[in-house]
Amino acid sequence: MTAVTHAPPVVAPPAPAARGGSRRYRKAIAFFVAPFGLLFLAFYVVPILYAVYQSLLTVERDGTFGAARTVFGGLTQYQRVLEDEAFWSSVGRVLVFGVVQVPVMLGLALLFALLLDSPLVKGKKFFRLAYFVPYAVPGVIAAIMWGFLYSPRLSPFTALTSNVPILGADLVLWAIANVVTWVYVGYNMLIIYSALLAIPSEVYEAAVLDGASQARIAWSIKIPMVLPAISLTAIFSIIGTLQLLAEPQVFRSFSSAVTSTFTPNMTVYTTSAVPNPSLAAAFSVVLALATFVLSFGFLKLSQRREAR
């Protein structure tokens, strides 16, 4: 018996039309990405590079009253940053602020999202809107409103504000934390609530058939499945904490305890107004690096926990 051999199939080269279509797809992708790329380059990358360049400059004078000239100073401004106690005190202040305020804010956001997702709660549309309304109030307006509520002479709660120094040096940081929490709980709640809505209903049905209560479902199913959303809100909160500016800037009108260097961004703003743009740029670069390290470190830590 003679064995029958089969020749391997011949693969035809791609048609010219297919290659042309691929080129058209690339052009279409480039066309739609180009506007974002140009804006990202012009308003993000270029300012960062210019800030780094500005931070390497310094001002010199010939004598006490000589004409000022800008020269390359290397790392001179960064040495001044490392020696600036007010700046590092402001960094420590916002870190303490974040360690307390961020978990409280995200805990409330998670609680509200779970309540909205619970089948036992009625009037979900009303509560969803009510939780989100504070975020629609601009941060400056919210700070002014709460500042009046905290002020002993202007607040309708004088019995409290006259006896408790809310705007004093010991409590003003937590008064600001309350404003930030009030504004951003609803925003973070919507992110977590959106993640809850993406969970397949079959998962809940299987848990109910196994006899799980709503509290058990929330603890064992919902919270573990929305951990990526919680991590995302935590990263946003870390970045926002280190960039804290509007609320403490407004509170300077209500409390003498809020100084011009109360937060890192206020230090940058005050330094640039001196004016000393090179030192302000160095502050900004160091603050940006610290924000990147903290947010990226938290992201990697959360990813390792999720992998387990």
Side-chain angles (χ1 to χ4, degrees):
M1 181 179 294
T2 304
V4 180
T5 59
H6 297 279
V10 179
V11 179
R19 290 195 293 268
S22 178
R23 284 196 294 268
R24 286 196 297 271
Y25 288 140
R26 293 195 189 99
K27 290 180 180 179
I29 293 172
F31 175 79
F32 286 108
V33 172
F36 167 79
L38 292 175
L39 293 175
F40 180 80
L41 183 67
F43 295 102
Y44 191 82
V45 176
V46 172
I48 290 177
L49 295 178
Y50 182 74
V52 173
Y53 164 76
Q54 187 76 26
S55 68
L56 300 176
L57 303 179
T58 188
V59 176
E60 291 184 351
R61 295 179 183 272
D62 294 326
T64 305
F65 303 102
R69 64 179 184 275
T70 302
V71 298
F72 180 77
L75 300 178
T76 303
Q77 303 295 355
Y78 290 98
Q79 182 179 357
R80 296 180 62 184
V81 170
L82 295 176
E83 296 172 352
D84 194 296
E85 295 182 3
F87 175 73
W88 292 109
S89 295
S90 67
V91 172
R93 188 175 295 113
V94 295
L95 289 178
V96 173
F97 175 96
V99 167
V100 177
Q101 187 269 335
V102 171
V104 171
M105 178 179 63
L106 296 186
L108 290 174
L110 176 61
L111 176 62
F112 292 157
L114 291 173
L115 289 175
L116 288 178
D117 194 59
S118 174
L120 304 178
V121 175
K122 307 298 181 182
K124 294 182 180 181
K125 292 183 179 180
F126 168 78
F127 287 110
R128 184 166 62 237
L129 179 62
Y131 294 152
F132 187 73
V133 162
Y135 181 70
V137 179
V140 174
I141 303 300
I144 294 173
M145 180 184 69
W146 279 97
F148 282 123
L149 292 176
Y150 291 146
S151 180
R153 297 182 180 180
L154 303 173
S155 174
F157 311 105
T158 53
L160 174 64
T161 56
S162 298
N163 297 309
V164 180
I166 300 177
L167 297 177
D170 295 331
L171 296 179
V172 68
L173 181 66
W174 310 117
I176 296 172
N178 178 64
V179 177
V180 176
T181 302
W182 182 80
V183 171
Y184 289 100
V185 160
Y187 169 79
N188 293 300
M189 179 272 297
L190 280 184
I191 296 177
I192 300 173
Y193 181 59
S194 300
L196 287 171
L197 294 179
I199 299 176
S201 59
E202 292 82 2
V203 177
Y204 300 146
E205 293 173 359
V208 171
L209 290 175
D210 288 339
S213 64
Q214 290 298 321
R216 183 65 177 177
I217 291 174
W219 180 258
S220 300
I221 297 177
K222 293 183 178 181
I223 294 179
M225 296 190 74
V226 298
L227 282 179
I230 297 175
S231 299
L232 178 65
T233 56
I235 292 172
F236 288 163
S237 301
I238 291 172
I239 296 172
T241 297
L242 291 174
Q243 294 179 349
L244 193 64
L245 176 63
E247 291 82 5
Q249 190 74 18
V250 170
F251 267 66
R252 288 191 67 191
S253 304
F254 298 97
S255 173
S256 59
V258 181
T259 64
S260 60
T261 58
F262 193 74
T263 67
N265 262 355
M266 291 179 69
T267 304
V268 174
Y269 179 80
T270 303
T271 305
S272 64
V274 171
N276 192 344
S278 296
L279 182 57
F283 280 135
S284 300
V285 172
V286 172
L287 181 60
L289 290 175
T291 304
F292 170 78
V293 169
L294 287 177
S295 57
F296 184 76
F298 179 83
L299 176 63
K300 299 303 292 184
L301 180 63
S302 60
Q303 286 178 344
R304 288 182 180 178
R305 289 184 176 180
E306 291 174 8
R308 294 176 185 175

